[in-house]
Amino acid sequence: MKSSLAPGIRLITNFSRDSWYRGFILVLTFLFYTAYHLSRKPISIVKSELHRNCSNVIQPKDINITNNVTWCDWPPFDQDNYQTLFGVLDNCFLVAYAIGMFFSGIFGERLPLRYYLSIGMLMSGLFTCLFGLGFYWNIHSLGYYAFVQVMNGLMQTTGWPAVVACVGNWFGKGKRGFIMGVWNSHTSVGNILGSLIAGVFVSTAWGLSFIVPGIIIACTGVLCFFFLVEKPEDVNCSSPQHHSGQERNQEGGETAPLLQDSSIVDPSINGAISTEPDVIVEEHSEAISFLGALCIPGVVEFSLCLLFAKLVSYTFLYWLPLYISNVAHFEAKEAGDMSTLFDVGGILGGILAGLVSDYTGGRATTCCVMLVVAAPMLFLYNYIGQRSLGTTIGMLLLCGALVNGPYALITTAVSADLGTHESLKGNARALSTVTAIIDGTGSIGAALGPLLAGVISPSGWNNVFYMLISADVLACLFLSRLVYKEVQRWCGRGPRARGFNEF
């Protein structure tokens, strides 16, 4: 009898086969992109080791020292322009990433995702390890490290469009904001793990700060090859329904609300009878063009918003440990550990943004409000954030939530919503291209942020924060049209039905 079953077995049997597969894919893709971000983080930790204040370092007796200021630095980063050189390394990665992202989505639609991700992770692991091997091979050429960064940036573009497309294949729109808000914490988890792993080795053998994460991402590539299932149909699971007939609206030729969750009502419940026919979703074999993806309502606005939101997020990603080290006078490891609080806040912010946008149906408004609040919080963090340990922790958590919340929502739930937009008439192959366009545009900002920080920081950290605040304001402005449409919809139709019942 069922009542005699062990509690654990009863729990297992309560979930359907489809649910187990969906959970498995969610966890698997979470691990994949955690590894991607884990392998990006070490350079921000190692910067403060490549160029140090050598006057405070104990000098070995067996080394003939000619310059007391730079003897412990790693050439070529022992020069006065070291911040500019760090900016060069950051931008070699980020510019390559931004350019490659626009092509990555196109390749991702036309190649098997399992092979594409596996090869991408293996190659990314290789180039991450090559950067670390420069320590053991005693390489002091900026060109070597710049080349490795360029190649790693290109290899890293295989990750995001592919994992979002895979998750989009398995999940419908009902709880997409919350599910992807939780799922997108892989970005912050990867940053945290990358910081902690790099911090273990940074003061003794900084090469291992790259080699260990490189091995980890290569191993996840092998895991992907053996276990990833791209689509529910491949294992005879039911496909999620992305649209219903109730999403149609003739105003302006757009689906309205643009990013609202569809509410599917079972006609047998409470005797309700649906008078509108269901939209028949057809599987299109032809991939969408780049211009066709740009014409999807909302893609351009969210792409430009993400450009500035990602500019802020990636400036913190690459420069926060060095800022903490310079301003609060922490050692490299302590600064790296402290910077992880920003990513912890990012986890909370991503989940909160997903929950609020699911409940209200206002993806654009949720992003805009968080960005508006983030601007004064960044100002406060710069002026009072280092006064005490408690203030530092609180401000890092708050700024991380407000900065990374909109970034997480746009790159996950919004990208998946637009990639399965009703105007596509069921073309499931558009998701990878739409994701690549949005994240690729955002990656331009990700490249500009660290570059501008490297150029501006010699004139003072205050100016860097003014730049970040300006970027937040611009990100809000690009969403103004969509926010207006959402507010107009709320005022015109009253409270929307909370679509928490669809998966």
Side-chain angles (χ1 to χ4, degrees):
M1 293 178 62
K2 189 172 182 179
S3 60
S4 64
L5 289 174
I9 301 300
R10 274 207 305 274
L11 178 65
I12 293 173
T13 56
N14 280 338
F15 293 95
S16 66
R17 180 174 179 272
D18 285 13
S19 296
W20 279 111
Y21 266 106
R22 282 185 168 83
F24 175 71
I25 294 300
L26 206 64
V27 171
L28 204 59
T29 50
F30 181 94
L31 292 176
F32 294 162
Y33 214 68
T34 295
Y36 272 101
H37 259 265
L38 182 150
S39 64
R40 295 180 196 177
K41 187 65 177 178
I43 190 169
S44 67
I45 306 300
V46 172
K47 280 178 183 176
S48 53
E49 182 68 21
L50 296 177
H51 186 96
R52 307 166 65 187
N53 183 1
C54 298
S55 59
N56 296 330
V57 180
I58 299 175
Q59 300 177 1
K61 296 180 180 179
D62 57 341
I63 297 179
N64 184 20
I65 297 171
T66 58
N67 190 327
N68 289 330
V69 179
T70 63
W71 70 268
C72 66
D73 296 337
W74 187 269
F77 307 106
D78 57 346
Q79 307 299 318
D80 292 337
N81 65 338
Y82 71 96
Q83 289 179 316
T84 302
L85 298 183
F86 287 151
V88 169
L89 290 186
D90 292 342
N91 276 273
C92 284
F93 177 93
L94 293 169
V95 170
Y97 185 87
I99 295 172
M101 183 59 71
F102 289 103
F103 299 97
S104 178
I106 297 173
F107 291 138
E109 285 182 2
R110 291 160 175 81
L111 298 173
L113 294 180
R114 183 166 62 92
Y115 296 140
Y116 192 54
L117 273 171
S118 298
I119 293 173
M121 284 188 276
L122 287 170
M123 295 302 295
S124 184
L126 171 64
F127 288 108
T128 302
C129 288
L130 284 175
F131 196 106
L133 287 172
F135 172 79
Y136 295 99
W137 294 341
N138 204 29
I139 296 175
H140 299 282
S141 167
L142 180 65
Y144 171 83
Y145 296 109
F147 171 77
V148 171
Q149 285 288 85
V150 168
M151 295 305 298
N152 198 13
L154 292 174
M155 294 303 105
Q156 289 262 334
T157 61
T158 58
W160 190 241
V163 294
V164 172
C166 187
V167 173
N169 289 339
W170 279 89
F171 290 90
K173 295 179 69 175
K175 294 183 181 178
R176 183 175 278 169
F178 173 67
I179 290 172
M180 287 196 157
V182 175
W183 176 75
N184 192 63
S185 63
H186 52 48
T187 299
S188 297
V189 172
N191 290 340
I192 292 169
L193 291 176
S195 297
L196 296 176
I197 292 172
V200 171
F201 307 105
V202 65
S203 298
T204 53
W206 63 258
L208 288 175
S209 297
F210 290 90
I211 293 172
V212 174
I215 293 172
I216 291 173
I217 190 173
C219 291
T220 57
V222 175
L223 189 70
C224 174
F225 179 80
F226 282 103
F227 293 104
L228 182 65
V229 182
E230 298 177 23
K231 299 177 182 178
E233 304 84 48
D234 294 342
V235 286
N236 297 321
C237 290
S238 59
S239 299
Q241 187 165 354
H242 295 294
H243 308 290
S244 72
Q246 295 174 352
E247 287 186 322
R248 294 184 180 275
N249 181 16
Q250 301 301 323
E251 180 183 354
E254 295 183 12
T255 300
L258 176 62
L259 302 176
Q260 177 178 324
D261 299 342
S262 56
S263 300
I264 299 176
V265 181
D266 188 341
S268 64
I269 299 178
N270 298 328
I273 299 176
S274 175
T275 58
E276 295 187 27
D278 290 336
V279 175
I280 299 174
V281 179
E282 299 176 2
E283 186 70 26
H284 290 236
S285 58
E286 184 178 351
I288 192 172
S289 67
F290 186 86
L291 290 177
L294 282 177
C295 292
I296 299 172
V299 167
V300 173
E301 288 95 333
F302 276 112
S303 296
L304 292 174
C305 172
L306 185 63
L307 187 151
F308 291 99
K310 208 167 181 179
L311 182 153
V312 178
S313 180
Y314 267 65
T315 301
F316 274 97
L317 174 67
Y318 282 92
W319 287 89
L320 182 57
L322 186 62
Y323 169 77
I324 294 173
S325 178
N326 287 352
V327 175
H329 308 294
F330 282 25
E331 292 296 325
K333 184 180 185 305
E334 286 76 14
D337 292 344
M338 184 65 71
S339 71
T340 61
L341 293 171
F342 184 84
D343 294 300
V344 173
I347 295 174
L348 301 176
I351 295 172
L352 178 63
L355 278 172
V356 172
S357 67
D358 274 346
Y359 184 77
T360 62
R363 307 279 202 223
T365 304
T366 302
C367 292
C368 193
V369 169
M370 296 185 79
L371 289 167
V372 167
V373 178
M377 291 302 106
L378 292 177
F379 180 85
L380 286 176
Y381 171 65
N382 184 41
Y383 277 90
I384 68 171
Q386 309 300 332
R387 289 187 178 179
S388 67
L389 183 61
T391 304
T392 300
I393 292 172
M395 291 302 297
L396 281 173
L397 290 171
L398 183 58
C399 290
L402 294 172
V403 168
N404 284 342
Y407 162 40
L409 186 63
I410 293 172
T411 54
T412 53
V414 169
S415 295
D417 286 351
L418 293 174
T420 55
H421 194 257
E422 192 185 42
S423 63
L424 296 170
K425 298 179 181 178
N427 187 350
R429 299 186 68 188
L431 182 53
S432 185
T433 296
V434 170
T435 303
I437 289 174
I438 293 176
D439 200 52
T441 306
S443 297
I444 296 173
L448 286 174
L451 173 63
L452 291 174
V455 173
I456 297 172
S457 58
S459 66
W461 287 105
N462 288 348
N463 295 329
V464 174
F465 276 87
Y466 293 148
M467 179 265 290
L468 297 178
I469 292 169
S470 301
D472 261 339
V473 173
L474 288 172
C476 293
L477 292 178
F478 282 111
L479 289 181
S480 57
R481 185 185 77 89
L482 296 180
V483 171
Y484 175 76
K485 287 177 70 69
E486 289 177 353
V487 173
Q488 193 177 45
R489 169 168 59 84
W490 291 332
C491 294
R493 297 186 184 180
R496 70 181 285 272
R498 272 65 177 177
F500 280 89
N501 294 323
E502 187 203 357
F503 205 50

